Each structure stands twice: as C-alpha cells, then as structure tokens.
Amino acid sequence: MAARSDIPGPQQRGGLLTGLIIPLTRQLRQITYLQAIQETFCLLMPFIILLTLLQMLGWLVLNPAGPLLGEDGLGLGSLLTGGLHGQTYRESAFFLNSARLRDYLDITNVLFSLLFALVLSMKLARLWQGQETMSMLCTASAYLFFITAISPNVHELNHYFMGRGFFLALLMATCSTWLFCHLARIQYLELPLVRSLPLSMNTSTKLFLPLVITLLASLLAVLGWIDLEHSVLSLPTLLAAQLNGNLPQTPAAAILYELTRRFLWWLGLNGSSFTFFWQEAFYAPAQLANEVAAGKYIFTTEFFDANSISLLGLAISIWVFASRQRLRTLSACCFPTLLLSINEPFLFALPIVLNPMFLIPYLLAPVLNVYIGYLAINWGIVPLFRYTVESAAPVFLQGWLATGDVMGAVLQLVWLSLDIVIYTPFVIIFNLLTQEEDLREEATPHEA
C-alpha cells in the first residue's frame, strides 16, 4: 500500500472539511474491500505503466495508418517503403507486418484486466479467509469463459475491455472469490479425505464441489451477461432509448458525468470504467458522428480524455509550492507518467485517493475545465473533437490530433494553467496545516 500523506486532525480545521469530508474519509478508510482494491492498484502499478507505454508504442510507432507512419500523418511509412502510396502502400509487406506487430500489443487492456482480477482475487481471499490459489484459479476460469464468449478477434476484445476492463475485473474477482470462499466453509460440501493421496492433492480434492459450483455459476453468469449486452436490456441501449439525446450535451449533464468519474477515482475505483455505459450510450456515438457524419457535438469521448490533464496541474503546483521535499520528489517522479496520460501512479502515491485535503480541488478543476471547454468550442475558438485518438496519447498531442488543430493543444494548455491556479491555494494551506509534521520530519534523522 502506498504511503499516505499525513492528514491533520479535525481540531485544526473547520467548516466543510470537519463536518463532512474528514468523517466520510475516515469511515471509507475502514472499508477493507476498498483497501484491497487500493492495494491491488499499488501492486500492479509497474504493469499499468508498462502496458500503457506498450499501448502507446503500438498506436504511435507501429501503427501503419497512425500519426507517424500513416499517410494522413507524417507519412514515414511511405518513405520507408520507397514512396508507396494508397492501396499499394496498404498491400505492402511493411504495412501488413506493422499491423501484425500492433495487433500483438493490442491485448494490453485485456491483460491488465486479467491481472487486476487475479491479484484482487488473492487479496479478497485473504480478507475472507479463503484459499488464495484456488480463488485465483476460479477467477481465471471465469475470465477464460468470458473471453471465449466475447470474440476470438484480439482487436475486438481489446476494444471491449478498454472501457469495461476494471468493472469486469472487479465483478468477476469479487463474485467468484466470494462464492468460492463461502462455499468452501460449508462442511457437507467437502469430500472425505483419502489417506493414500498426497496432502496437497487432498487439500484441493476436498474443495471439488465448491469449485464445481463456482465454475458453473461463473459460466452461467458469463452467458447471461453476454446475452444482456447484446439485447435491448443492456444498460447503454436502455439509456439511449429512455433519455433525450440532447440532454448529455448540456453543460450540466457533462459536469455531472465528470464529477461522478472523478469522485469514483477518489474512492479508489476506476471512474471511467464505472461510467463507461453512459459514455457508450451518448459520448461514443457523438464522437463517431463528429468523425464520419459531420456531427456538431461538443461533449465526446475525446473531449473528456483531453480533460484528464487536471492532475498534471496538481503535480506542478506541488513541485513548486509544497514545503515537503518528499512530496516535491514524488511530483517530479510522476511528472513523466502524467505527461503520457498515466494518472494512476500519482493518484495512489500522493495519494489523491481518500485524501480529504485534495477532494475539493480534485473535483473542482475538471468541472471548470468542462465548462471552459464548452464555451471555447461553442464560441468557435477551438474546433470540435472530431478524431479518435488512442487514450495513451501524450498530453497536448492528444488535443491537437483529436481536434485536427493546434487550438486543441492550446485548450489543454489553458486547462492546465487554470488547474495550477485552482490547486495552488490548497497546496499552500496544506503546508500551513502540516507545519508541525514538517518540523518533526526535519528533526528526525533519516535512515540510510
């Protein structure tokens, strides 16, 4: 678990912090289930960074139709193939081999979801006093059922897990582990021991019936989920059918969507995954309409991806104004990942997660960004976000490519400047509230 910054006692504060945020935070920190999720994120942080970098490598460098190699980008692919263009370039061995290499890296979303589910299953089995290895195997089996039922196509699988990955990992790990751990404690489901068998085999054999029930339940749940996803009862379909399509394009709805995403992240949950159904019902179709049908939608998936820049403002503010050397060092270390739109290290290392001091600016900054972005696009200062860009695209490049205009990057720069202004007073207040802790840290000799 990442180290948490020291939080002053409530006697030092007043108002909203003392009356609501701090008591809420203390209660949430006692929830062991949330602790298990946070520990899983922290344990998998190197994998998150590595898989995101591989995803960006596949999109930026290996994609034969991408911004570097593609003819609509810098056109390096045509240069490397001796001047091939159009259909001839797309049929070249270079194009096909580059596309194949990118497909190899196109499994990153599925892989991260699987790793998260396995580690979380281990943590939950320990929490619920179950057998860790068998619980992980139950979760892995559920995943194999699910992947087989979705699609054999790697690209389709990766696209499906791109938004739902964390939600599915949480769902499968929690349900399969909970069911197995509780069934394993029912004595009449245990098979009798056979003295001639090795101890390790007896241990697993006596859990045969709980395993059978868990795997059958997982298989039925997967089949039910797939049927639901492809029916009119799926949540995105119901939302799109029941709500006016113009409602999500109002600033109020967009701000509420962004508030929900960020608050879930503050809880230590992947807010983008939990709100993916709303995004799929409204903002993904708006993005597609802008790209292929000359749509006029302001709020799209790329708009909200561009708005993920807000944490970079906090990192800069801490690096400049924080009194603690540890926080400044942490900010500097996370700065490269934030530039590459990888926010998880900063979220869990500072931490932002369940930190009452930074909740208000963490919610306020993206909300103001949404409204300023709305005004800038509505007044014609910034073009619409028309083009789909890989979510792992670096900051500023993402805004530029998604709008097709340098003003997209300028909008992100304006957002960043505003975020620094919003976060700075809270960083300074944090310095004042933790002066005693700073003095104790300076007085305590550091161990080598």
Side-chain angles (χ1 to χ4, degrees):
M1 187 73 176
R4 297 183 178 277
S5 34
D6 296 328
I7 306 299
Q11 70 276 6
Q12 297 175 311
R13 303 179 181 178
L16 182 62
L17 280 175
T18 300
L20 178 62
I21 298 179
I22 291 179
L24 173 63
T25 303
R26 287 175 174 169
Q27 292 179 16
L28 292 173
R29 285 181 177 175
Q30 301 304 314
I31 301 176
T32 53
Y33 181 72
L34 289 180
Q35 293 174 10
I37 295 174
Q38 293 171 37
E39 291 172 2
T40 303
F41 262 115
C42 293
L43 185 61
L44 288 177
M45 201 59 67
F47 288 94
I48 295 174
I49 297 173
L50 176 60
L51 293 177
T52 305
L53 291 177
L54 289 175
Q55 187 178 5
M56 185 181 65
L57 175 68
W59 168 75
L60 188 62
V61 179
L62 299 178
N63 185 5
L68 290 182
L69 300 179
E71 294 182 282
D72 294 333
L74 295 180
L76 296 182
S78 178
L79 181 65
L80 293 174
T81 55
L84 297 181
H85 295 283
Q87 188 64 26
T88 307
Y89 169 65
R90 289 188 290 272
E91 293 177 352
S92 67
F94 174 83
F95 188 98
L96 296 177
N97 290 332
S98 298
R100 189 177 298 112
L101 285 173
R102 192 205 171 179
D103 287 342
Y104 291 153
L105 299 179
D106 216 10
I107 199 68
T108 51
N109 290 322
V110 183
L111 182 56
F112 169 70
S113 182
L114 174 59
L115 291 175
F116 193 95
L118 292 177
V119 176
L120 179 60
S121 182
M122 177 188 68
K123 297 285 185 181
L124 293 177
R126 189 176 303 166
L127 175 65
W128 294 329
Q129 300 178 346
Q131 221 283 345
E132 295 178 18
T133 303
M134 302 302 283
S135 298
M136 293 174 66
L137 291 176
C138 288
T139 300
S141 301
Y143 246 90
L144 291 176
F145 290 148
F146 194 85
I147 290 174
T148 304
I150 286 291
S151 172
N153 184 283
V154 172
H155 181 72
E156 291 180 4
L157 273 176
N158 196 60
H159 179 74
Y160 184 85
F161 275 84
M162 181 172 59
R164 296 171 172 84
F166 174 82
F167 176 79
L168 293 173
L170 199 67
L171 187 64
M172 282 190 274
T174 302
C175 294
S176 64
T177 304
W178 183 90
L179 181 60
F180 174 74
C181 289
H182 283 75
L183 290 175
R185 286 199 286 269
I186 301 177
Q187 291 185 355
Y188 66 81
L189 291 180
E190 293 184 3
L191 295 181
L193 297 179
V194 180
R195 295 183 181 277
S196 59
L197 290 178
L199 178 61
S200 58
M201 190 178 295
N202 256 325
T203 302
S204 59
T205 303
K206 74 175 184 177
L207 298 174
F208 179 77
L209 290 179
L211 280 174
V212 169
I213 298 173
T214 302
L215 293 183
L216 287 177
S218 298
L219 178 58
L220 292 175
V222 165
L223 295 177
W225 177 271
I226 299 299
D227 288 341
L228 187 65
E229 283 277 79
H230 292 91
S231 72
V232 294
L233 296 177
S234 67
L235 189 53
T237 303
L238 287 174
L239 288 172
Q242 297 298 323
L243 295 179
N244 187 334
N246 294 324
L247 176 64
Q249 288 298 316
T250 61
I255 287 173
L256 182 60
Y257 167 76
E258 191 68 352
L259 272 175
T260 304
R261 283 206 312 164
R262 298 309 177 100
F263 184 72
L264 287 169
W265 269 116
W266 183 78
L267 292 176
L269 305 172
N270 188 320
S272 301
S273 188
F274 275 90
T275 58
F276 184 79
F277 304 101
W278 181 272
Q279 174 186 313
E280 190 176 69
F282 301 109
Y283 297 134
Q287 182 67 49
L288 184 63
N290 282 0
E291 188 166 358
V292 303
K296 302 295 183 182
Y297 296 102
I298 293 178
F299 299 117
T300 66
T301 53
E302 294 301 327
F303 177 95
F304 292 106
D305 282 347
N307 190 27
S308 64
I309 196 174
S310 61
L311 273 181
L312 185 59
L314 175 58
I316 294 174
S317 180
I318 286 177
W319 184 66
V320 174
F321 296 102
S323 60
R324 293 188 179 184
Q325 180 62 39
R326 182 181 66 83
L327 294 181
R328 293 198 300 271
T329 302
L330 173 64
S331 175
C333 291
C334 292
F335 195 76
T337 63
L338 290 169
L339 283 175
L340 296 174
S341 302
I342 308 174
N343 295 325
E344 288 88 347
F346 197 59
L347 274 168
F348 289 89
L350 180 60
I352 291 294
V353 174
L354 292 181
N355 187 332
M357 189 62 216
F358 293 114
L359 173 61
I360 294 175
Y362 178 67
L363 297 179
L364 179 62
V367 165
L368 292 181
N369 287 354
V370 166
Y371 193 69
I372 287 175
Y374 167 78
L375 293 177
I377 296 174
N378 193 46
W379 292 344
I381 301 173
V382 177
L384 293 168
F385 284 78
R386 291 196 176 278
Y387 307 105
T388 301
V389 181
E390 183 64 49
S391 59
V395 170
F396 303 124
L397 179 62
Q398 192 273 344
W400 190 337
L401 294 177
T403 58
D405 193 287
V406 70
M407 289 305 296
V410 172
L411 175 61
Q412 287 191 297
L413 183 60
V414 171
W415 280 343
L416 177 60
S417 303
L418 175 64
D419 296 339
I420 294 173
V421 172
I422 291 172
Y423 276 114
T424 295
F426 289 87
V427 173
I428 294 174
I429 292 173
F430 184 80
N431 291 336
L432 296 175
L433 292 176
T434 57
Q435 284 180 342
E436 293 183 4
E437 286 80 358
D438 293 341
L439 293 174
R440 283 198 295 268
E441 286 185 2
E442 292 176 1
T444 303
H446 298 283
E447 296 181 2

